[in-house]
Amino acid sequence: MKFSDIGERSLISRITEMLGGLEHDDCAVIGIDGDYLVVTTDMLHRETDFPAQATPWQIGWMCAAVNLSDIAAMGAEPLGVLIASGIPPETDVGFIDEIFRGIRDCVEAYGTEVLGGDTDAHRELTICGTALGRVSRGRILRRRGARPGDLLCTTGSLGGAGAGLKALNLGRIDLARRLLEPRPRLREGIALAGTGAVTAMMDNSDGLALSLHDLAEAGGTGFVIEYERIPIADEVKAIAESDDEALEMVLRAGGDFELLFTVREERIDDAREACEFSVIGRAVENGIWLVRDGSRMQIPRIGYEHGS
C-alpha cells in the first residue's frame, strides 16, 4: 500500500494513532501560565503547491500566509515565523531574494516578524514555515465545540482560489490574485475569539466540503448548509460556466483561507460586532448536507489533499 492509495487524511490518522493520539486543530497547543502558545508548521513545494505563474514574491507571500492563517483559526496573536528553505543550487540569487521579500512583506503586513530558520540545498524548491502565536486560555478557539443548533458561518467569500486556478489555465492572471496572494484572517480571528460567542473554528484552506467534514468530526456533529446563503466569490461568477461548476469550486477547491466557524444562535449579534461574515447553515446531529432548490443532498468528503 502506498501513500497515493490512502491519501493525506488517512495517512495523518495512521500517524496520529501511532503517536498516541493528537488533537486535530490548526495548531498545536502548549500551556504557558494563563495563556496558550499555539504552533503550526506547513511545508510547500515548487511542483505541488506553487502555480507555474506565481512570481517568486508571491511564493514567499504564500509561505508566510498559509501559516499565519492557522494562527488566525485559533484566535491567537502572531508572535513570529520561522522559515526553513531547501533551494536548488542552480536557482538565481535574485529569485531567492524575491521569495524572502515576499515572506518579509507578508509577516510585516500582519504585525509580526521572521524570527529565524534554516537554509540548505535541495533538489526541489521546498519551504517550510513555522508560525507561533499566543492566546489567553479563555479565548482560544478549537475545531471541537460546535453543538446542534449553532449557526455555521464563514468570513469573506468562497471559491475564489479555485476560480483562480482555472483562470491561470486560461491565461486570466487578473482573476488569480486570491489564489496567489492569500490573505489570512488574523484580525477577524482575534476579534471573534474575543466575543466569547464562537464555539468552534478552523480555516477552510482545503475547500469547504473537506473543512465541514473535519469540523464535524472534531465536534461530533453534522452540518446543513444552504446553497442560496453561500457567499460565492466574484472570481467564480466571472469564470464559472454554470452554477454546478461554481458550486464545485466552492466545495472542492482549496486555497481560500477563510475562517469557518460556529456561533451560538443567541450570541450572533455579539459575533457580528467582531467582523463581517455570512451565516451559511447550522450544526445538526449528524451528516453533512446541502439544501439547494428545496432538495437536500449529502456533501461527500472531497477537497484538496496531498498524495491523492
Side-chain angles (χ1 to χ4, degrees), residues 116-128:
D118 184 41
T119 301
D120 204 345
H122 198 276
R123 290 183 182 178
E124 179 187 2
L125 176 65
T126 299
I127 303 176
C128 182

Side-chain angles (χ1 to χ4, degrees), residues 276-298:
E276 293 185 3
F277 59 83
S278 300
V279 177
I280 61 172
R282 185 180 297 272
V284 294
E285 291 288 343
N286 53 66
I288 308 295
W289 307 91
L290 172 72
V291 175
R292 183 182 182 188
D293 298 329
S295 297
R296 179 165 155 159
M297 63 194 79
Q298 284 192 314

Side-chain angles (χ1 to χ4, degrees), residues 4-282:
S4 59
D5 296 327
I6 63 174
E8 180 183 359
R9 287 304 195 280
S10 294
L11 182 62
I12 290 172
S13 295
R14 288 171 65 93
I15 294 170
T16 297
E17 184 177 353
M18 187 184 307
L19 296 177
L22 300 172
E23 188 154 0
H24 294 304
D25 276 314
D26 290 67
C27 296
V29 177
I30 304 167
I32 299 179
D33 299 325
D35 293 340
Y36 284 119
L37 176 70
V38 297
V39 185
T40 184
T41 188
D42 210 328
M43 186 184 302
L44 302 179
H45 305 277
R46 186 68 179 99
E47 293 184 9
T48 55
D49 293 299
F50 305 121
Q53 300 89 336
T55 67
W57 184 91
Q58 288 170 331
I59 288 173
W61 179 281
M62 291 171 68
C63 290
V66 299
N67 282 281
L68 291 176
S69 182
D70 286 342
I71 299 296
M74 308 298 288
E77 294 266 3
L79 297 177
V81 176
L82 296 162
I83 298 292
S85 56
I87 302 173
E90 67 275 12
T91 305
D92 184 82
V93 172
F95 189 96
I96 299 169
D97 287 346
E98 280 300 296
I99 289 176
F100 280 88
R101 287 190 182 101
I103 293 171
R104 177 202 63 195
D105 290 349
C106 184
V107 298
E108 288 183 353
Y110 290 95
T112 190
E113 60 183 333
V114 175
L115 301 173
D118 184 41
T119 301
D120 204 345
H122 198 276
R123 290 183 182 178
E124 179 187 2
L125 176 65
T126 299
I127 303 176
C128 182
T130 298
L132 300 93
R134 190 162 186 153
V135 59
S136 70
R137 295 195 180 212
R139 290 191 173 186
I140 191 169
L141 294 173
R142 315 292 291 260
R143 291 187 181 186
R144 57 176 162 84
R147 294 292 179 268
D150 288 353
L151 298 178
L152 178 68
C153 311
T154 181
T155 58
S157 58
L158 303 178
L165 189 59
K166 178 179 180 179
L168 289 179
N169 293 332
L170 296 175
R172 291 289 308 277
I173 198 166
D174 57 304
L175 293 176
R177 187 172 181 181
R178 177 87 172 268
L179 172 68
L180 299 174
E181 301 174 26
R183 304 282 164 168
R185 296 291 191 172
L186 274 164
R187 181 188 65 81
E188 292 87 345
I190 293 167
L192 286 166
T195 67
V198 176
T199 54
M201 188 158 73
M202 66 179 294
D203 78 1
N204 74 329
S205 55
D206 294 324
L208 180 60
L210 199 53
S211 298
L212 285 170
H213 278 270
D214 287 345
L215 202 63
E217 183 177 342
T221 64
F223 293 103
V224 174
I225 61 172
E226 300 175 36
Y227 175 79
E228 291 77 13
R229 303 184 78 173
I230 297 173
I232 297 176
D234 291 340
E235 296 92 338
V236 175
K237 297 173 183 176
I239 207 164
E241 298 177 16
S242 66
D243 289 346
D244 287 343
E245 184 183 12
L247 181 60
E248 183 80 357
M249 290 177 180
V250 168
L251 292 176
R252 183 184 290 270
D256 281 338
F257 294 98
E258 296 295 344
L259 296 175
L260 184 68
F261 59 99
T262 54
V263 177
R264 296 183 185 90
E265 185 169 16
E266 67 272 16
R267 299 289 307 280
I268 192 68
D269 290 338
D270 296 328
R272 289 199 183 281
E273 292 184 7
C275 64
E276 293 185 3
F277 59 83
S278 300
V279 177
I280 61 172
R282 185 180 297 272

